[in-house]
Amino acid sequence: MRIFDPHIHMTSRTTDDYTAMYEAGVRALVEPSFWLGQPRTSPRSFYDYFDSLLGWEPFRAAQHGIAHHCTIALNPKEAGDPRCVPVLDELPRYLVKDGVVAVGEIGYDSMTPAEDTALAAQLQLAADHGLPALVHTPHRDKAAGLRRTLDVLGESDLPPERVVLDHLNEATVDEAASSGCWMGFSIYPDTKMDEIRMVRLLRLHGTDRVLVNSAADWGRSDPLKTRAVGDAMLDAGFGDDEVDKVLWRNPVAFYGQSGRLDLETAAGCGPATHEGNSILRGGN
């Protein structure tokens, strides 16, 4: 089973996690920009963080046979902090970097006017740089947050097929599916979705435009939850090809829209990987 985790925060994980992920089948991942866990006091802390996502983490992942890419953004949790807003002006110099495969995480946390502004601005940056966007739906009042997100997306220059709406659940999947956007689901030990609920949704909605991630960070989370979904799918009667589509080919297809996926580190995944590389470097 080959696995591409499309949303995981390896900055907060250990080298033992990398080892366990490789043994579970993880061969590629995307690490989105997220908040520090406490208020930042200067925009410069973002720049050091972005540099680590483009330098140190890809090196660390490669030591364990895993291809690392990232997304760059001012995340929703900090979009309302005036000390962080200047980061928006600096994003263009990072969005041209080879390792950046999307703008993200962007979206809503508390659904404030400042978050409206940051979301609209960063969707435009994604359109201007030919990148897809990873959009975080809020943890509170998810249905209203999704509708507000879709309103802003509808006013942007970014087409829905270049957007993944992440952290979806049973209450938001129907509207997300109707939007034409990709659908992201985070599998957690206690919150968000679990692997059994995810399998139920896959039975109802199919495997098209679906991304499954662990979203593992410094909280209670599990970087092996993608593998748990794959095993649960097999136990539920899904075939190997359907598992491969959800856990590998779908994230490759979504982030491949950036034209920047480099899966050479994951070359051991089989001949389909090499075929994907020849296509992805062309941009579609």
Side-chain angles (χ1 to χ4, degrees):
M1 185 184 300
R2 57 181 183 172
I3 299 171
F4 186 144
D5 192 330
H7 181 155
I8 184 169
H9 301 289
M10 293 309 297
T11 296
S12 56
R13 309 303 302 193
T14 68
T15 53
D16 288 346
D17 289 320
Y18 271 122
T19 299
M21 289 163 62
Y22 184 88
E23 291 175 352
V26 177
R27 296 294 183 270
L29 63 86
V30 167
E31 179 163 1
S33 303
F34 78 141
W35 71 300
L36 185 65
Q38 64 186 36
R40 295 180 191 264
T41 58
S42 167
R44 299 194 66 83
S45 65
F46 279 94
Y47 312 145
D48 291 335
Y49 172 50
F50 294 161
D51 288 342
S52 75
L53 294 182
L54 288 160
W56 171 242
E57 281 305 324
F59 171 79
R60 198 161 71 111
Q63 305 311 298
H64 296 82
I66 297 174
H68 181 290
H69 302 82
C70 69
T71 76
I72 297 290
L74 173 62
N75 69 83
K77 192 83 171 179
E78 296 170 309
D81 188 334
R83 294 173 296 184
C84 300
V85 173
V87 172
L88 290 172
D89 294 329
E90 296 295 323
L91 289 179
R93 69 185 176 97
Y94 287 97
L95 297 180
V96 299
K97 303 291 186 179
D98 286 342
V100 179
V101 294
V103 175
E105 295 177 58
I106 58 177
Y108 287 110
D109 179 55
S110 300
M111 289 185 280
T112 64
E115 292 171 19
D116 288 330
T117 300
L119 174 57
Q122 293 182 99
L123 288 172
Q124 188 59 52
L125 284 172
D128 292 345
H129 287 80
L131 293 173
L134 169 62
V135 178
H136 165 109
T137 59
H139 301 305
R140 303 175 300 278
D141 202 359
K142 292 189 77 68
L146 176 61
R147 287 192 294 271
R148 190 160 172 174
T149 299
L150 292 175
D151 286 343
V152 178
L153 283 171
E155 297 172 354
S156 77
D157 292 330
L158 202 62
E161 64 269 19
R162 296 180 72 83
V163 175
V164 58
L165 301 167
D166 212 351
H167 309 316
L168 298 175
N169 59 18
E170 294 90 341
T172 51
V173 62
D174 288 335
E175 192 166 5
S178 298
S179 73
C181 296
W182 287 69
M183 296 165 284
F185 299 89
S186 300
I187 315 301
Y188 261 44
D190 298 321
T191 60
K192 299 184 175 70
M193 296 286 290
D194 63 32
E195 53 269 32
I196 304 305
R197 290 165 60 197
M198 189 66 237
V199 167
R200 292 194 194 109
L201 280 185
L202 288 168
R203 280 176 166 161
L204 287 171
H205 292 275
T207 58
D208 291 343
R209 293 186 287 120
V210 171
L211 302 183
V212 171
N213 63 71
S214 70
D217 55 20
W218 28 251
R220 180 161 165 72
S221 51
D222 183 351
L224 305 185
K225 279 296 186 181
T226 47
R227 176 61 191 239
V229 169
D231 289 339
M233 289 178 69
L234 293 174
D235 289 343
F238 285 89
D240 290 338
D241 185 70
E242 293 170 297
V243 173
D244 189 69
K245 179 179 178 181
V246 170
L247 295 184
W248 184 266
R249 300 198 310 270
N250 280 356
V252 167
F254 178 73
Y255 287 114
Q257 295 179 98
S258 69
R260 297 178 182 172
L261 276 186
D262 183 356
L263 298 176
E264 288 297 330
T265 305
C269 291
T273 298
H274 297 290
E275 179 183 353
N277 277 349
S278 66
I279 296 171
L280 295 174
R281 285 175 180 166
N284 292 306

